[in-house]
Amino acid sequence: MISRQITAALTTLALLLAAGLPATARAERADRDKPVNLEADKVTVDDRTKTHNFEGNVVFTQGTLTIKANKVVVTQDGTGYQKGVATGGENGLARFRQKREGQDLWMEGEAERIEHDAKTEITRFYVRAHVKSGGDEVRGQYIEYNSISENYTVTNSSDAKAVPSGGDQSKRVRAIIQPKSAPAATPEAAPRP
């Protein structure tokens, strides 16, 4: 029973990462059917409060998805919805990497704290947040992605409210968005003599 609960908790983390960028950057769907592999220095499961704590050099893999953090906490409410929080890691950043659906491109991201709420389908990246997919990338102190509305917000503060930068370029949101190539035009048939 515990291993089934841990697997369910870790599957929530896959959702956490799949919501990193707009719909054009969907995560590899086949990952959901792959086995979950977890490494940590310590795992604590509290069945009464439905809380799973993974601590110490946590490495989670499922198919092409990899999450690395110092600590991952997954909680489940009474209706079965789960929330996952990944914190810390190398240089204080939780990280993820996952292949994009049907393409040879990868989604990658990092932040001091990454949170996903399966009930609202909102993922939030806090402090030193950076998400990239292919050649597109965005940096800020806060990134929020709503996978239901397919909207995202990036700000220069640790929440959804932007603060005036006062000309300080280090406090600005940064984005690189690659041009999307138009579909190749089909050559028209040459007129017959």
Side-chain angles (χ1 to χ4, degrees), residues 84-97:
V85 179
T87 55
E90 186 180 330
N91 296 323
L93 300 172
R95 291 180 168 80
F96 76 89
R97 184 172 196 258

Side-chain angles (χ1 to χ4, degrees), residues 60-79:
F60 163 92
T61 56
Q62 184 178 23
T64 66
L65 170 65
T66 301
I67 300 170
K68 294 181 179 181
N70 271 347
K71 185 174 185 179
V72 176
V73 178
V74 179
T75 58
Q76 181 175 313
D77 68 18
T79 59

Side-chain angles (χ1 to χ4, degrees), residues 10-173:
L10 294 175
T11 301
T12 296
L13 292 175
L15 295 173
L16 179 148
L17 302 178
L21 289 175
T24 58
R26 296 237 186 251
E28 184 75 33
R29 288 184 210 156
D31 286 349
R32 296 178 192 155
D33 299 325
K34 303 286 186 199
V36 171
N37 296 297
L38 172 74
E39 295 178 24
D41 294 336
K42 180 180 178 182
V43 177
T44 306
V45 177
D46 185 336
D47 282 334
R48 185 179 50 79
T49 62
K50 296 191 181 351
T51 302
H52 309 302
N53 289 294
F54 307 93
E55 299 177 62
N57 195 26
V58 179
V59 179
F60 163 92
T61 56
Q62 184 178 23
T64 66
L65 170 65
T66 301
I67 300 170
K68 294 181 179 181
N70 271 347
K71 185 174 185 179
V72 176
V73 178
V74 179
T75 58
Q76 181 175 313
D77 68 18
T79 59
Y81 286 104
Q82 297 175 328
K83 292 181 182 180
V85 179
T87 55
E90 186 180 330
N91 296 323
L93 300 172
R95 291 180 168 80
F96 76 89
R97 184 172 196 258
Q98 186 172 32
K99 187 176 180 294
R100 286 176 49 178
E101 178 66 30
Q103 300 179 31
D104 192 23
L105 296 173
W106 293 80
M107 292 186 305
E108 298 177 277
E110 61 187 19
E112 289 183 16
R113 185 171 81 237
I114 304 172
E115 297 180 359
H116 177 74
D117 185 329
K119 188 173 192 173
T120 62
E121 295 189 36
I122 293 175
T123 303
R124 294 179 175 98
F125 299 81
Y126 294 91
V127 186
R128 297 191 290 158
H130 177 215
V131 177
K132 70 179 187 174
S133 177
D136 296 345
E137 63 182 286
V138 65
R139 292 178 184 271
Q141 290 300 306
Y142 175 83
I143 300 172
E144 178 180 294
Y145 178 71
N146 182 322
S147 62
I148 295 172
S149 67
E150 296 183 357
N151 291 315
Y152 64 100
T153 301
V154 183
T155 68
N156 64 351
S157 68
S158 60
D159 59 27
K161 298 175 186 165
V163 296
S165 63
D168 183 350
Q169 294 300 309
S170 68
K171 295 182 180 178
R172 307 271 294 155
V173 169

